[in-house]
Amino acid sequence: MSTQPAVTLVVDDGIAVLTLDVSGASVNTFSPQVIEEFTVLLDRIDKDASVRGAVVISGKAGNFIAGADIDQFLEFKTAADAAKASAFGHTMFHRIEKGRIPVVAAVDGACLGGGLELALACAYRIAAESPKTLFALPEVKLGLIPGAGGTQRLPKQVGLQAALDMILTGKNVRAKKAMQIGLVDETVHPSVLRRIAVERARELAAGTLPRQRDNRKHGAKEILLDDNPIGRAVVFRTAREQSLKKSGGHYPAVMAAIDAVAAGYSASNEAHGYAEEARLFGEMAMTPVCKELMFLFYATTALKKDSGVPAGVLALPVSRIAVLGTGFMGAGIAAVSAMQEVPVRFKDTAPERVAKGIAAVRDVIKDGLTKRRITRQQFEDQVGLVSGTVEYTGFGRVPLVIEAVFEELGVKHAVLKETEAVLAPTAIFATNTSTIPITKIAAASKRPERVIGMHFFSPVHKMPLLEVIVTKQTAPEVTATVVEYGRRIGKTVIIVNDSPGFYVNRILAPYINEAGRLLDEGVAVDAIDRAMTAFGFPVGPIQLIDEVGLDVAGKSGAVMAEALGGRMQPSEALQKVLTAGRLGRKGRQGFYAYDEKGKREGVDESVYALYTGGTRRKEMPKEEIQRRLSLAMLNEAVHCLDEGIIGSARDGDIGAVFGIGFPPFRGGPFRHIDAVGAAEIVKQLDALDAVHVGRYTAAAGLRRGGRFYPAVGKPV
Ligand code: NAI
């Protein structure tokens, strides 16, 4: 705990300015210490009759308050503990809202969770016009609901529909939008934020600016739906139906948040809504879902600080990069780099391919323009950073080359040799291969210590994970450099030791294979996919194969089978469909049917003609499908940890959740094993292995028993 005060008070001509600046931290959060300091200072100014108004502002440019310090949530032993903390927040913010002194929130930067709840309790809110200014109530992302009045005050401030939109998604609202929906009263240039805030506090104190104002929009939609009980009933019913459908019932906090908001409208006394919010906050804090989502938060935070190399090994500066191959992946990598202001040399074999690649980069970056995250000037500047070539001109100056050419060892070797001939000796060659072991690619290199894997996922600009694959020869500074570069372009990075399939595709392979075997056994395509989406995956395994492309999936499966044999033997089902010339979505024919535009329709029943039993499919209980598929993946994840392919259960969980969409509410394969119990998992594996001999032999790390994570306290 820091001894430096986090909140300082200056009183100037009757206006108190409370500045929050938690020392030694990059962002301000509400810890018990900060709350205590706040309370003491509020007491002091309340008793000081010379103080007539107040301003709350941050001492950190570009960061207001990022919410509660979530370490304190780990201390909750019971729902009552958590509800008590929520009620305490209510008391504190009620004081600000109803107290003698009007308070102005001067917001520059992230204003999240408890930070926004504080701002909502203030009499006036000003937002600095800056891309860093963001408002959000992200509690549902942690399996919680806003607990310091957010579910009560936000609807009153912006109207029911706009409030639910923020509370149920946790999405960010920028300054301009905040002004449009009535969340803030005014936006100003950051340089005058403090001065204007003090001025407004003075006006509020003098009564020239009323403390109660209605900022809400009052259009037809609001009058119809927000402002009367019948309309609100419709809004709540629709929100419940849509949320249930979207969450598959796996995220109880979303429903609890709707209940808390509804409670604020349902009774005549205001206290009822707040009491319900505290109760539901307490209830949610005890759910397993909340624990797993908190784990993911801690794990990603820990990963950001873990360079995966010994202390003292420094990353090399990367001022520009080159990308080889202007196809689908190359364009994605070039785009996310340019979006971080990194100049890119973009090479392919023919000018028309380069032109096509640059057009694809433009499309990715344009998304930011359409969504108004960037200005037209920024858009042009970013696109302008990508320059095409069909030769290796400019490569002598790049410290990092990312290769994304065809997935063929011969092509990769040829490209590697050509590139090394023009690169500086210290430059790094990173390959985005999805299946070829990096050691095999590095075999053609004169400097194998400078060869590494950077396995991106598609589409690159949307998928959060990057697997960095190191060989026995990779130099630590090379690892440190690409890890840092990956983070710079917004990726969550896990470091994996070189091995067929690396980590993510390795655990995916037996899962996909088992799905294929279920088809061999006569189960219907949609029954398999439905079972796994009910388990919590965003898409089912068969749909995934269609999306990835049957040729790609087949190739990857073959590589895994060749390297690991036995349990990786591909199913006949996949082979048959591939031989029939179906490629999945890209060929508009796979296990599913697609319309002209590539939109997925239902299962393509004609696919069953390839299988024994035809369209007469066998019934299999959902639970059995889930057990067969999930256990194949869980077991493989433990094999990877046993073999040292991943360094920790944490990396394995993050890789699975961010790379494959393993259900976040289960925390990841290792968290899920801990929740079920290793002994139970082994029992289930043994039962399956007795029937499907050799495919479910429990990994040693499971047989040893015990947990992968501590049962209490901070998970990582
Ligand atoms: P793609 O076929 O869209 O693009 C490959 C590009 O490489 C083509 O434009 C081709 O002209 C170019 N190329 C071939 N030989 C070249 C050479 N000698 N010099 C320069 N360019 C050359 O393929 P895609 O999908 O972008 O895949 C590229 C790499 O990324 C492959 O290794 C693939 O396994 C890997 N990968 C693909 C993923 C995906 O979902 N498509 C996911 C993760 C990795």
Side-chain angles (χ1 to χ4, degrees), residues 324-331 347-350 353 392 403-408 411-412 414-415 418 431-436 454-458 505 548 552:
L324 285 170
T326 61
F328 182 58
M329 295 302 283
K347 182 193 177 295
D348 211 294
T349 46
R353 291 198 176 214
Y392 288 94
E403 170 274 306
V405 301
F406 296 143
E407 186 72 347
E408 279 168 37
V411 181
K412 304 263 190 213
V415 166
E418 284 168 21
T431 169
N432 178 45
T433 175
S434 46
T435 52
I436 308 173
M454 278 180 103
H455 183 211
F456 289 88
F457 294 80
S458 88
N505 284 344
V548 169
V552 175

Side-chain angles (χ1 to χ4, degrees), residues 46 80 92 136 181 201 247 265 430 460 583:
D46 210 26
M92 179 167 141
I181 63 173
S247 70
Y265 286 97
V460 177
L583 286 178

Side-chain angles (χ1 to χ4, degrees), residues 74 93 139 206 209-210 239 253 321 351 462 502 534 586 599 614 643:
L74 299 173
F93 291 166
E139 288 81 355
L209 181 64
I321 68 162
K462 289 210 175 123
F502 318 128
K586 62 184 167 194
K599 190 165 174 278
E643 292 170 26

Side-chain angles (χ1 to χ4, degrees), residues 47 49 63 65 89 134 256 273 288-289 446 502-503 607 644 667 669:
K47 287 193 190 112
N63 173 260
I65 300 170
L134 300 170
V289 177
K446 281 188 293 191
F502 318 128
Y503 171 69
V607 80

